[in-house]
Amino acid sequence: MPVLAASSSPSDRTYSVAIGVILAFAALEILAIAIHFGAEYRAEHATLQPLKRPAASTSAKLPPPPPLPAQSDVPSSAALSASDRLLKEANVLREHGDTANALARLQEASQRDPRNPQVLAEMAAIYESIQLFDRSNETWRKIQDLGPAAGPLYELADMKLRVGAAATPAAGVPMDTAGKPLDAEGLPEGSVFGVTNIETEQIPDPEAETNFRLKIGIKKRQGVAIDHSKLRIMVLFYDSVDNDKVVATDADVNYEWMNPKHDWAESNPETLIVTYLRSKTHAITSEAALSAAAAAVTPGKNSPRPKKRGEAAPGTDSSDSGRRKYLGYVIRILYDDKLQTVRAEPARLVNDAPNPSVSP
């Protein structure tokens, strides 16, 4: 039985070998590509891991940001010192008649320290002097809003606003130092008492550094019945220390009435004589002696015993005695606890002068 035998030709074998070689090379190339990209992925992953961990660690260790400081209405000490400096500069400029620059300094000081009553009072006084009464009243109202913390300036502001200076007064209308217009009798409008004239008389005294007297004419309104127990007259003198600080005087201050009765029945006005004496040996009075310069107007009573020259009050400090100079005075008259009039020389003492013993 015949048998069929299959055989391959040489060309078929060559084709198979070629295909096998091609497939092998393709497999090797794919493997090489896989190895290459696998290595790059591992390298990139290894690089990113340490970068992520420190970032997370760092953010975990950072403390929370501190809270913002609370806002406060109290001005800083730097602002206060700056406003005080500007206030002093304004006072000097005002004394030299430079009202415009003085007002500019005060406005800057008020921006730094808007609750400073001294700055506000100086501004109000300048507005009055240039007849800007609307602005003056507005500034006095700011002092009134500060309340009793403003000290004597609060009561002065209250009086200014209560009297209510006209916004457009007639030119040349005379006024007292507090800005109250004077009527035909020479008295502040609405007042029972006023000061009609003040005379200063120097007393020759070789033993005295300063010795002078004030003669103060005090007038009662015609046709008004008065109760002498309701009348208070305060005459307070002030010195400057180093030509800068304003302080209550420590000189000898005495007073007496020209008419012992001083009841405004025999004469009107009555004259009060107040003497200021600073001896070269510098006898010192106490605060209590200073407040005795407030004349107690009571008919039939004698004036207090004048203090003898050289009689020093116990417990007083004379450390600044050699640096003191006479500066001026403030006269206040009150009737039935209502301020009648204010006279001051220089006028700025109405705002600048301390008044520890009495309130206006």
Side-chain angles (χ1 to χ4, degrees):
M1 178 177 195
V3 177
L4 296 177
S7 62
S8 297
S9 66
S11 61
D12 291 336
R13 286 194 296 271
T14 302
Y15 176 78
S16 298
V17 171
I19 292 298
V21 170
I22 291 172
L23 292 175
F25 275 109
L28 289 174
E29 186 173 356
I30 291 171
L31 179 62
I33 291 173
I35 293 172
H36 172 73
F37 282 104
E40 284 189 351
Y41 173 80
R42 286 192 298 273
E44 182 178 356
H45 184 71
T47 303
L48 290 176
Q49 281 297 108
L51 290 177
K52 291 181 180 179
R53 289 194 190 98
S57 175
T58 302
S59 61
K61 293 180 180 179
L62 287 176
L68 294 174
Q71 296 294 328
S72 174
D73 292 334
V74 179
S76 66
S77 58
L80 288 175
S81 60
S83 64
D84 290 340
R85 174 180 56 79
L86 290 166
L87 176 60
K88 291 181 180 180
E89 292 177 2
N91 287 334
V92 172
L93 290 168
R94 185 182 179 190
E95 289 176 357
H96 287 80
D98 192 352
T99 304
N101 283 321
L103 188 58
R105 295 288 197 286
L106 292 170
Q107 289 171 341
E108 183 179 352
S110 181
Q111 290 176 354
R112 293 175 179 269
D113 185 8
R115 299 179 62 82
N116 189 320
Q118 290 287 348
V119 171
L120 294 172
E122 284 291 334
M123 289 177 64
I126 289 181
Y127 284 137
E128 285 182 6
S129 69
I130 58 180
Q131 297 189 358
L132 294 178
F133 293 97
D134 290 336
R135 291 191 180 183
S136 175
N137 289 338
E138 180 184 349
T139 309
W140 285 119
R141 195 168 291 108
K142 290 180 180 179
I143 298 176
Q144 190 183 51
D145 292 342
L146 296 177
L153 292 175
Y154 167 72
E155 298 183 10
L156 180 61
D158 183 66
M159 185 273 292
K160 292 273 192 178
L161 296 171
R162 181 160 36 85
V163 171
T168 56
V173 171
M175 294 184 289
D176 69 0
T177 310
K180 297 178 70 174
L182 305 181
D183 58 19
E185 289 190 60
L187 304 181
E189 295 177 356
S191 296
V192 178
F193 286 91
V195 174
T196 56
N197 65 291
I198 303 173
E199 298 179 9
T200 303
E201 179 184 357
Q202 295 290 335
I203 303 173
D205 189 344
E207 297 181 6
E209 178 183 317
T210 306
N211 191 348
F212 72 94
R213 64 170 62 103
L214 294 180
K215 292 183 178 180
I216 308 167
I218 301 172
K219 184 178 180 180
K220 178 185 76 70
R221 187 172 296 282
Q222 297 287 348
V224 177
I226 60 170
D227 181 352
H228 296 88
S229 64
K230 296 181 179 180
L231 178 63
R232 283 197 299 161
I233 303 170
M234 296 175 287
V235 182
L236 302 176
F237 289 95
Y238 296 92
D239 301 330
S240 64
V241 178
D242 297 331
N243 295 319
D244 180 24
K245 184 179 179 182
V246 179
V247 295
T249 189
D250 62 356
D252 293 337
V253 177
N254 298 300
Y255 70 89
E256 62 179 337
W257 289 96
M258 184 173 289
N259 177 8
K261 291 184 179 180
H262 53 272
D263 57 1
W264 287 271
E266 298 178 358
S267 60
N268 189 20
E270 297 281 7
T271 302
L272 177 66
I273 302 174
V274 187
T275 305
Y276 175 103
L277 170 64
R278 177 179 293 280
S279 67
K280 292 181 179 178
T281 56
H282 187 62
I284 306 171
T285 64
S286 64
E287 287 293 330
L290 171 64
S291 62
V297 185
T298 307
K301 288 189 177 182
N302 295 326
S303 300
R305 175 185 65 87
K307 191 169 67 66
K308 296 179 180 179
R309 180 176 301 187
E311 179 183 345
T316 54
D317 183 10
S318 60
S319 60
D320 62 357
S321 60
R323 293 146 43 209
R324 284 177 176 251
K325 291 183 180 179
Y326 169 75
L327 178 60
Y329 61 83
V330 177
I331 302 169
R332 290 182 175 89
I333 299 181
L334 295 93
Y335 183 72
D336 197 16
D337 292 328
K338 295 179 181 178
L339 186 64
Q340 303 293 296
T341 188
V342 178
R343 291 296 182 94
E345 179 59 39
R348 69 181 180 87
L349 283 178
V350 173
N351 300 328
D352 293 352
N355 192 16
S357 303
V358 289
S359 297

